[in-house]
Amino acid sequence: MIIRSWLFVPGDSERKLAKGRDNPADALILDLEDSVSDDRQEIAREMVRDYLTAHPDRARQQLWVRINPLDTELSLPDLAAVMAGAPDGIVLPKVYSADDVNTLAHYLSALEAREGLPPDSTKIHCVSTETAASLLTFHTYLDGVSDRLAAMTWGGEDLAAALGASDNRNPATGDYDDVYLMAKSLCLSTARAIEVQPVGVVYVDFRDLEGLEAECLRDRRAGFFGKIAIHPAQSDVINRAFTPSEEEVAHAQRVIDVFAQNPGLGTVGLEGKMLDMPHLKQARNVMAVVAQIKGLG
Ligand code: COA
Ligand code: MG
């Protein structure tokens, strides 16, 4: 299953947890980090574990957990509590390099054994750009990272704090400043280089669904797949934006067919346009995405 929408749900909110399960998001991220206050960490852990245990069927919607950063004393108790509920994956914030992902992978191996879960069944989605160091260590993912790593996203808010910035956007245009666009580009290119899913960053203005849709389409054009949501109304918009349209699918099929009918040719014409290998690859990508989206394939 390929995940289009990843909805964050604060782990200590009974109301929001209850709402999450009926939401069309392909995955929920039950949050133990920034949306939970310091004095509610323990209760959030228990609520998240109970929620996972109460919802073992993940066929329509996966359940992931964002733990606290590995360099805090909260992360191990987070993991020790929630692994009993067999989360589909762990979202790891504030990484410094691929070492953090590999460290988490070792912890998961031990906890999977303790819980009697299949080895390597718990995946990892890392938030790859929340520390200053993270911008300088993307190459470490190419030196060997755990196969558990399934997705990678970026973030501009914690990074701004880490860089000592007072703002991360140009006040005149609202566009991200250069360093955040670099972070975004490094996340995309690294994720594609190691064949994990590059996931678009949160769109914080949660009442502006048109703006969200436009940003989803921009992300998708650039190569990202899927987006983080923070409000239930965002999931539908994200799902739609990352589902290939009927026209796209029909076109992809025509491209595949024309190459199949002309074996041995590296370049062919279709509807007055030249097609070569990159077009065939794109068409196959569209069909692979469709096959992996539940209910379409
Ligand atoms: N997941 C599930 N349900 C949610 C939700 C979420 N992320 N965000 C809001 N809801 C629920 C609300 O509880 C409300 O339901 P209710 O009336 O039964 O209580 C309904 O959806 C409508 O919410 P709304 O009034 O439009 O928003 P809000 O002002 O209550 O909340 C936020 C706004 C941003 C605080 C809220 O969306 C939120 O907590 N988002 C997640 C934040 C987060 O996890 N951040 C960390 C990652 S960056
Ligand atoms: Mg944060």
Side-chain angles (χ1 to χ4, degrees):
M1 175 174 158
I2 192 163
I3 298 173
R4 296 163 298 177
S5 45
W6 305 73
L7 174 63
F8 262 114
V9 184
D12 67 335
S13 167
E14 210 163 321
R15 274 186 101 98
K16 289 176 185 169
L17 287 168
K19 267 221 149 68
R21 205 54 186 159
D22 299 326
N23 187 266
D26 290 337
L28 301 183
I29 304 176
L30 312 172
D31 189 25
L32 297 176
E33 198 211 3
D34 286 349
S35 69
V36 178
S37 65
D38 289 350
D39 57 335
R40 289 182 58 84
Q41 295 288 332
E42 213 152 314
I43 186 152
R45 261 176 219 142
E46 283 172 26
M47 287 175 70
V48 165
R49 186 202 48 223
D50 292 349
Y51 192 84
L52 290 166
T53 310
H55 298 102
D57 179 8
R58 314 284 170 72
R60 186 191 70 80
Q61 182 183 66
Q62 293 194 1
L63 297 177
W64 291 57
V65 177
R66 180 168 73 172
I67 60 167
N68 281 284
L70 289 189
D71 62 356
T72 68
E73 70 286 4
L74 300 171
S75 55
L76 278 172
D78 286 348
L79 285 173
V82 302
M83 285 301 288
D88 293 284
I90 299 296
V91 175
L92 182 64
K94 301 185 179 66
V95 301
Y96 291 86
S97 74
D99 278 354
D100 289 340
V101 175
N102 293 333
T103 300
L104 173 59
H106 290 306
Y107 295 157
L108 291 175
S109 294
L111 291 166
E112 283 169 348
R114 187 192 70 182
E115 301 300 338
L117 298 171
D120 299 330
S121 52
T122 319
K123 301 296 171 204
I124 299 175
H125 176 166
C126 71
V127 190
S128 61
T129 67
E130 291 184 317
T131 63
S134 68
L135 299 185
L136 308 170
T137 59
F138 270 102
H139 62 96
T140 60
Y141 291 91
L142 277 70
D143 297 338
V145 69
S146 166
D147 285 341
R148 292 176 188 272
L149 188 65
M152 188 182 265
T153 191
W154 63 287
E157 306 308 317
D158 291 281
L159 180 59
L163 295 178
S166 59
D167 193 2
N168 54 16
R169 290 170 187 273
N170 176 334
T173 62
D175 295 336
Y176 273 118
D177 285 334
D178 295 347
V179 73
Y180 308 94
L181 297 179
M182 180 182 80
K184 176 182 178 182
S185 306
L186 288 170
C187 172
L188 173 65
S189 47
T190 304
R192 288 299 179 190
I194 60 172
E195 297 182 352
V196 305
Q197 182 182 343
V199 178
V201 74
V202 294
Y203 187 77
V204 286
D205 191 357
F206 60 85
R207 302 273 179 233
D208 178 8
L209 296 180
E210 273 177 32
L212 170 65
E213 183 178 19
E215 193 172 279
C216 286
L217 296 176
R218 255 199 316 276
D219 280 357
R220 189 174 155 203
R221 244 188 345 261
F224 285 95
F225 190 86
K227 202 165 180 70
I228 310 271
I230 48 165
H231 188 278
Q234 293 185 316
S235 308
D236 256 335
V237 176
I238 295 172
N239 286 349
R240 222 176 324 115
F242 286 97
T243 303
S245 67
E246 276 176 36
E247 299 88 84
E248 282 174 274
V249 175
H251 178 73
Q253 191 60 57
R254 284 199 298 278
V255 172
I256 290 168
D257 290 347
V258 73
F259 277 103
Q261 287 152 9
N262 294 280
L265 281 192
T267 177
V268 293
L270 178 70
E271 294 151 11
K273 295 216 170 84
M274 186 217 59
L275 298 176
D276 57 9
M277 286 303 121
H279 299 102
L280 180 59
K281 194 170 172 197
Q282 270 166 347
R284 286 185 177 141
N285 286 344
V286 169
M287 300 314 261
V289 164
V290 169
Q292 286 180 75
I293 293 174
K294 231 185 102 31
L296 293 177

